[in-house]
Amino acid sequence: MKVILNVDVKSLGEEGDVKNVANGYARNFLLPRNLAVPYNEATVAIFEGRKAEIEARKEQKRKDSASLKEKLEATNLEIVMPAASNGKLYAAVTAHVVAEALAKLGFEIERKKIEIPGSSIKSVGNFKTTIKLYEAQTAEVHVTIKAQTVEGEAPKAEKAEKAEAPAEEAKAE
């Protein structure tokens, strides 16, 4: 069934796009939620009248995305995570963690738009993440993962040594 989208629909298209979708998808999802209208002469005429307005909104999204890209690429994100002495993290840095860190800096980015090489970061160091913006624009953000010293790590080792010492004394007797 051919439809014209009323609003941007994720993974389908943007407002004003003409799409050919399955009949059930159109009847059961798009039309009842007013996300799309059937493609016919009347609806085409309505959207032709709104074409300039739709293009202006798309142009504004492009400009916003370009300015966001500049701000993101100028940002060096620093995340402190608990890590072992060898640099391996106890918890992986995922897109969710990066999204939260960006939110603290004032950027509202969906975690689904953040791509981390290998899907997660599991060690201390410098990494590059890609953030999908509007259309084909992407921003590359430099992420620095630093180790947080975990309290209690050294005492555990000391406790293990102390536990071995009495056992050795018992053997000597």
Side-chain angles (χ1 to χ4, degrees):
M1 171 182 272
K2 238 180 177 179
V3 295
I4 303 175
L5 299 176
N6 272 340
V7 293
D8 294 355
V9 178
K10 195 176 212 169
S11 75
L12 186 59
E14 296 181 337
E15 179 181 13
D17 289 353
V18 176
K19 295 290 180 177
N20 198 4
V21 297
N23 291 340
Y25 183 54
R27 279 194 310 262
N28 298 326
F29 183 75
L30 296 174
L31 298 176
R33 289 178 173 83
N34 203 23
L35 300 176
V37 292
Y39 181 86
N40 57 38
E41 291 177 16
T43 56
V44 169
I46 292 169
F47 276 92
E48 285 298 320
R50 293 177 47 198
K51 193 172 192 173
E53 177 187 327
I54 293 169
E55 281 302 317
R57 271 198 294 269
K58 286 182 181 180
E59 186 60 35
Q60 184 61 41
K61 287 179 184 178
R62 285 185 197 102
K63 287 179 184 175
D64 292 344
S65 146
S67 68
L68 181 61
K69 178 180 179 173
E70 291 174 8
K71 290 177 186 175
L72 283 171
E73 288 184 343
T75 303
N76 189 9
L77 193 60
E78 190 172 297
I79 300 174
V80 179
M81 297 287 288
S85 58
N86 64 357
K88 191 171 183 178
L89 298 177
Y90 290 127
V93 176
T94 61
H96 183 72
V97 174
V98 174
E100 285 178 348
L102 286 170
K104 288 178 184 175
L105 295 176
F107 297 106
E108 293 300 320
I109 307 291
E110 292 180 38
R111 66 177 174 80
K112 294 177 184 176
K113 292 184 176 186
I114 299 172
E115 290 181 356
I116 298 176
S119 75
S120 66
I121 299 170
K122 298 177 182 174
S123 63
V124 174
N126 296 321
F127 301 91
K128 291 181 182 179
T129 59
T130 305
I131 299 175
K132 296 178 190 174
L133 302 172
Y134 185 69
E135 291 178 337
Q137 285 187 339
T138 59
E140 202 169 82
V141 177
H142 297 280
V143 178
T144 303
I145 308 298
K146 292 193 174 182
Q148 174 187 12
T149 55
V150 179
E151 292 182 25
E153 186 175 308
K156 286 182 185 175
E158 291 173 9
K159 287 179 185 175
E161 290 173 9
K162 288 179 184 176
E164 291 175 7
E168 290 175 8
E169 291 174 10
K171 288 180 186 177
E173 293 176 4

